[in-house]
Amino acid sequence: DAAAWSLSVPRGVRDVIGRRLSRLSKESGRALSLASVLGREFELETLERLSGLSTEELGEVLDEAAAARLVAETPGAPGRLRFTHVLIRDTLYDELTPVHRARLHRRAGEIIEDLHRSHIDARLPELAHHFGRAGPATEVAGRAVDYARRAAEAALRSLAYEEAVRLFRMALEGLEASEGDPAAARCELLLALADAQARAGDLPGAKESYL
């Protein structure tokens, strides 16, 4: 749902959702705002660390949100919840300031790195997403590029060519925020993007990238 990250929720819809959210306690509203940074679905363990709440405290505030039908369990995924509608998540996300958003994305990426260090390959797209939205700091941008490239290469191996195209483009965007002379790295990413576009059947796009 890439569009969900860039399209704002219409004012009328936001007002309706806002009235539902206003009935929550301050603690529950804050937890949901943090969860919105993690996406439509989110892991309880990640949110626990991001919020600084204990397991019991987080359970209480999420029970309140579940009673209000704002979140629900993710079928077949123990330890994960999801917003009952993507517009609820988007409304909460839109209300965060850009600076706060970037800080939370960086913190979320660091938490996911720590929690899943032993099997990080399964989290590469998620990490690329968070570090890609964590601001222009060179160190963060470098991690975003690395994770996006590795995720794109994994997508190619899985024959998910359109996903590989999206991730190689994300890596190129992150490269623009890096210091130094990225010409060689940019060349390699453009060649990889062109290859993915060709495999996906986008021959005009592949030709443009090759050129």
Side-chain angles (χ1 to χ4, degrees), residues 71-92:
V71 297
E73 293 183 353
T74 301
R80 293 182 70 90
L81 294 182
R82 66 189 316 231
F83 288 97
T84 54
H85 199 291
V86 69
L87 290 178
I88 297 172
R89 178 261 160 202
D90 289 352
T91 297
L92 288 160

Side-chain angles (χ1 to χ4, degrees), residues 79-138:
R80 293 182 70 90
L81 294 182
R82 66 189 316 231
F83 288 97
T84 54
H85 199 291
V86 69
L87 290 178
I88 297 172
R89 178 261 160 202
D90 289 352
T91 297
L92 288 160
Y93 188 77
D94 285 349
E95 290 176 353
L96 297 171
T97 65
V99 172
H100 193 199
R101 240 184 252 170
R103 186 165 61 247
L104 289 173
H105 275 299
R106 177 169 183 167
R107 180 62 186 139
E110 291 169 344
I111 290 170
I112 293 167
E113 278 183 327
D114 187 53
L115 287 174
H116 304 284
R117 197 170 300 279
S118 63
H119 49 282
I120 205 165
D121 285 356
R123 301 288 176 152
L124 292 175
E126 194 176 358
L127 288 165
H129 168 77
H130 285 301
F131 285 115
R133 286 163 175 75
T138 301

Side-chain angles (χ1 to χ4, degrees), residues 177-190:
S178 300
E179 289 183 352
D181 182 8
R186 177 175 171 77
C187 179
E188 291 178 2
L189 285 173
L190 282 169

Side-chain angles (χ1 to χ4, degrees), residues 156-196:
L156 275 180
R157 290 193 295 270
S158 300
L159 310 183
Y161 302 132
E162 291 82 3
E163 176 69 356
V165 168
R166 183 184 73 83
L167 289 163
F168 277 129
R169 283 178 173 153
M170 185 185 296
L172 283 163
E173 290 172 5
L175 194 63
E176 294 178 1
S178 300
E179 289 183 352
D181 182 8
R186 177 175 171 77
C187 179
E188 291 178 2
L189 285 173
L190 282 169
L191 290 172
L193 170 62
D195 179 53

